Amino acid sequence: MIKQIISISLLLLLVFTGCQKDNETFVTDDSKSYNSTLFGLVLDENQNPVEGASVNYKNASTTTDEYGVYKIENVKVNDQHNFITIEKSGYFEGCRTFRTNRERRFNHTTILLEKDFNKNFSSASGGTLTEGNINLTFPANAIVVDDSKTDYSGTVQVAIKYLNPSDINTSLSMPGDLTGITLNDELNILTTYGMVYVELQSPQGEKLQLKSDIKATMTAIIPSELLSQAPNELPMWHFDNSAGAWKQEGIAQRVGNEYVAEVSHFSCWNYDYNAPSIVLSGRILDQDNKPLTNIHVWVSAIGEYYGGHGNTDDEGRFSGRVAKDIPLELKIFDFASGCSYNDPFYVTQIGPFNTDTDLGDITINLDETSLINATATLLDCNGNLLTNGIARTSNNQVFEITDGTFDVSLTTCNQNPKIVTFVDRDLLKQSVPYTINVGDNDLGTITVCDDDADYIKIECLNLGLNLILTDSLNAFISNNDLYRAISGNNYGPTQEDFAYFYTNFSDNGMGGQFNVGTFEMSPEFEFGYSNGGPNDFTSYNLVSGQIEITSGGGSGSSVRGNIVMRLKNSDTSEEDDFTGSFKLTVY
């Protein structure tokens, strides 16, 4: 049996927020709960798996594996409000919010956003910072240590992350959904005109915050496509970590093409107008009554861009909040294949609805050039059915294998083939890549035992160093075909115990693949590691080095090779010889 794990199982609204422990704020006495399984994939902003992220739901918790996958089984999920939190050192906290009206399996994808404390000001004098569309002005003597609330004096480091509400990928990197609690404690749906996450810390890593009686000024440039409909003022909303929802606080005034507001603390803020909401559910099928997984459902007011949206789960189901009492337009897209918002598979008008509504089955007639069907029987190295495996496609769709059966129907708007690789998560073995084309693809019986899992190994005999990197591994070719690069990192048993490696080289742009041969490394090089703490980190500069490709190939293939380097310690300037090897998949 195969379960898709990359899709978002609810209609998501564009939001930028942190998350928190689960609670029952939106759960009424007549709510219903269902046994469910939570399964998902966690990626970074470069679409690489994030290993070692902590995933929590109520009293259950787990961590992501080397493929960025997590699973929490046999938990109660209610029909109104639930969420999981996802945490990893160095990233803003992630969250997925969901609900159900039946027993089901939830499949989520989350992109964690890296925290970059690259801005700073003096607490004594205050300062003004700009990042993307966001401008922040901090008064003098306005900062305290968050835990103790004592005055802080010194440099304030600031991480600011702006998400473009027009970007489709925002739905994967935002936690939660745009459920808002008004000043009258009414549950509303929000439409965003600007989103920002801000965190403050000291150079020593202490979390900082504004004093309780002082406010900072936050300005956001209104996206150009929203200027014509942007009102003169909007309510401000911050994400409440105890309620798992946005709470109304303050007003933003429009000044030209900007919204200006004062904020009393820093977490997650939105400039949004609000409207009453209902929960809309449904299931998407093709003409043969097969569920369409990982297709993007978008529901908005007729003639407007913004609305609830997200991917269907492995049963083709979706569920989420949409506007109440107005006519709506439902569109279906194949964003996983790189298709645009201007190219929907299906468009229909629905509503208005004044209560929670299940649309039931929605059947879409797709022509033969829009479907890829693939089947296979999967065995492990011992000839047994694969029961703890995954299948991963070249566009980061991931499916769970639980009984040796691979059977999927994928949509495509560009007729391009997909590449799929099967992985045995118990034995850390994987298959060779397989190409699946438009139409029916019977791959037969596949033994998932062709190759070891990907890795990068770095050694230095003089230092007694022996590192094996297994996380966020990548082998890629630049868009202009001028260089090749390999990269990876590793997170150890503590949050500070890590290593990273990146290098690129040129093989004269030979046909969009890694070619067998020996190549000189370029100065664009990064390598460093820690043995347990932020003060025990060592980084190196490249003196000279070579990459030997012993087995090459293009997209979807496995590349093997060796590394020989002379490196200089960036602190002591001491030089040492390093060697290494790697086996990576080209994506």
Side-chain angles (χ1 to χ4, degrees):
M1 186 178 185
I2 183 167
K3 301 289 187 181
Q4 185 178 25
I5 66 176
I6 196 170
S7 59
I8 304 173
S9 60
L10 68 157
L11 289 176
L12 293 172
L13 282 164
L14 290 176
V15 59
F16 191 87
T17 171
C19 206
Q20 65 294 321
K21 297 180 180 179
D22 206 354
N23 63 63
E24 303 299 312
T25 301
F26 302 142
V27 180
T28 60
D29 292 338
D30 60 350
S31 67
K32 298 178 181 179
S33 295
Y34 305 86
N35 288 327
S36 300
T37 293
L38 310 178
F39 209 101
L41 175 68
V42 181
L43 304 171
D44 64 20
E45 293 176 77
N46 295 317
Q47 301 293 303
N48 296 313
V50 175
E51 181 182 10
S54 175
V55 182
N56 299 280
Y57 176 72
K58 295 185 177 178
N59 295 322
S61 62
T62 187
T63 57
T64 56
D65 64 13
E66 62 266 39
Y67 306 105
V69 172
Y70 65 86
K71 183 178 183 180
I72 300 177
E73 298 183 275
N74 195 29
V75 292
K76 293 289 186 181
V77 174
N78 68 64
D79 59 355
Q80 296 181 39
H81 183 66
N82 314 268
F83 51 88
I84 58 174
T85 64
I86 304 171
E87 298 179 74
K88 176 76 175 184
S89 177
Y91 296 89
F92 290 113
E93 191 172 353
C95 175
R96 290 273 74 90
T97 304
F98 50 96
R99 54 196 63 80
T100 186
N101 58 5
R102 66 189 71 230
E103 183 174 318
R104 67 183 293 184
R105 177 190 187 86
F106 286 90
N107 304 316
H108 300 127
T109 293
T110 303
I111 294 178
L112 290 186
L113 303 168
E114 187 174 357
K115 282 191 287 190
D116 186 2
F117 288 93
N118 60 345
K119 307 289 184 182
N120 65 82
F121 66 94
S122 167
S123 63
S125 58
T128 297
L129 305 176
T130 299
E131 178 69 25
N133 281 24
I134 302 300
N135 184 282
L136 299 173
T137 299
F138 298 87
N141 302 310
I143 305 300
V144 296
V145 177
D146 191 35
D147 287 340
S148 63
K149 306 306 179 187
T150 57
D151 287 357
Y152 172 78
S153 177
T155 299
V156 180
Q157 297 178 336
V158 186
I160 309 171
K161 194 70 176 184
Y162 170 78
L163 287 187
N164 186 349
S166 303
D167 187 349
I168 297 301
N169 287 328
T170 298
S171 65
L172 299 179
S173 55
M174 64 173 193
D177 62 15
L178 277 183
T179 298
I181 302 174
T182 69
L183 297 177
N184 297 323
D185 289 329
E186 296 176 347
L187 198 62
N188 276 201
I189 190 171
L190 309 180
T191 297
T192 180
Y193 280 78
M195 303 169 286
V196 62
Y197 198 112
V198 180
E199 283 197 20
L200 315 179
Q201 72 171 24
S202 70
Q204 293 73 40
E206 296 175 293
K207 188 174 181 179
L208 306 177
Q209 189 56 269
L210 286 173
K211 291 181 179 179
S212 59
D213 58 344
I214 293 180
K215 293 184 178 181
T217 301
M218 185 165 68
T219 302
I221 298 174
I222 304 168
S224 58
E225 61 270 26
L226 294 178
L227 276 174
S228 63
Q229 52 187 299
N232 289 329
E233 66 177 29
L234 282 175
M236 290 290 292
W237 308 78
H238 71 90
F239 198 80
D240 188 315
N241 287 348
S242 65
W246 297 86
K247 281 194 172 180
Q248 186 176 353
E249 181 182 339
I251 294 292
Q253 302 290 337
R254 178 175 174 176
V255 180
N257 67 340
E258 298 178 333
Y259 278 121
V260 181
E262 290 188 329
V263 295
S264 60
H265 56 88
F266 281 107
S267 53
C268 314
W269 287 93
N270 257 311
Y271 303 77
D272 303 79
Y273 73 75
N274 53 298
S277 66
I278 60 99
V279 176
L280 186 71
S281 306
R283 185 171 68 146
I284 310 298
L285 306 173
D286 68 12
Q287 60 267 30
D288 297 322
N289 289 323
K290 295 183 68 173
L292 292 176
T293 64
N294 198 39
I295 60 171
H296 204 86
V297 181
W298 198 301
V299 180
S300 61
I302 294 175
E304 293 189 9
Y305 174 80
Y306 292 101
H309 63 104
N311 289 10
T312 57
D313 65 12
D314 59 287
E315 296 179 344
R317 298 188 185 279
F318 62 88
S319 182
R321 291 197 173 273
V322 300
K324 179 181 180 181
D325 290 331
I326 63 173
L328 303 170
E329 190 170 59
L330 184 150
K331 297 180 180 180
I332 298 176
F333 303 88
D334 178 30
F335 293 143
S337 294
C339 307
S340 74
Y341 181 79
N342 297 319
D343 191 20
F345 276 111
Y346 179 84
V347 180
T348 189
Q349 293 186 5
I350 58 175
F353 306 106
N354 58 19
T355 60
D356 294 350
T357 301
D358 190 335
L359 298 175
D361 292 345
I362 301 171
T363 300
I364 301 176
N365 292 315
L366 297 173
D367 61 45
E368 60 183 14
T369 65
S370 300
L371 277 175
I372 296 176
N373 300 307
T375 60
T377 299
L378 304 172
L379 307 177
D380 64 18
C381 290
N382 300 316
N384 301 315
L385 289 174
L386 185 63
T387 57
N388 185 22
I390 60 173
R392 182 171 183 174
T393 69
S394 50
N395 60 340
N396 265 327
Q397 290 173 277
V398 182
F399 304 85
E400 185 190 20
I401 311 296
T402 60
D403 63 359
T405 302
F406 177 71
D407 186 1
V408 298
S409 293
L410 305 173
T411 56
T412 176
C413 64
N414 50 27
Q415 302 184 43
N416 289 339
K418 299 180 187 291
I419 298 170
V420 59
T421 302
F422 303 100
V423 178
D424 184 336
R425 298 173 66 199
D426 289 328
L427 301 180
L428 290 179
K429 293 288 186 177
Q430 66 183 37
S431 72
V432 297
Y434 289 83
T435 300
I436 51 178
N437 297 286
V438 169
D440 295 328
N441 299 260
D442 185 356
L443 303 179
T445 299
I446 296 173
T447 300
V448 184
C449 197
D450 295 291
D451 214 343
D452 297 326
D454 289 2
Y455 73 94
I456 297 176
K457 184 176 183 179
I458 305 293
E459 296 179 282
C460 179
L461 292 178
N462 188 45
L463 298 175
L465 181 69
N466 188 346
L467 292 172
I468 299 178
L469 281 60
T470 59
D471 306 338
S472 301
L473 298 168
N474 207 349
F476 59 92
I477 301 168
S478 68
N479 290 334
N480 55 17
D481 197 31
L482 293 179
Y483 67 86
R484 313 290 181 266
I486 63 173
S487 64
N489 59 55
N490 205 58
Y491 291 94
T494 68
Q495 291 182 342
E496 291 82 15
D497 188 8
F498 67 94
Y500 65 85
F501 180 84
Y502 169 86
T503 188
N504 68 42
F505 59 95
S506 172
D507 65 354
N508 299 317
M510 296 294 290
Q513 64 179 9
F514 281 75
N515 298 299
V516 174
T518 300
F519 309 97
E520 296 295 325
M521 290 183 183
S522 72
E524 287 75 26
F525 171 87
E526 296 179 18
F527 173 58
Y529 62 91
S530 169
N531 289 322
N535 298 321
D536 192 28
F537 182 78
T538 305
S539 62
Y540 290 86
N541 299 317
L542 180 69
V543 178
S544 63
Q546 291 182 327
I547 293 287
E548 179 191 19
I549 304 297
T550 59
S551 176
S555 179
S557 64
S558 294
V559 172
R560 292 180 180 271
N562 299 305
I563 306 169
V564 179
M565 303 177 293
R566 181 76 174 173
L567 303 182
K568 179 189 293 186
N569 187 305
S570 59
D571 293 325
T572 67
S573 295
E574 294 180 358
E575 295 184 8
D576 281 294
D577 292 320
F578 292 74
T579 60
S581 61
F582 57 89
K583 182 261 171 180
L584 300 168
T585 301
V586 183
Y587 286 104

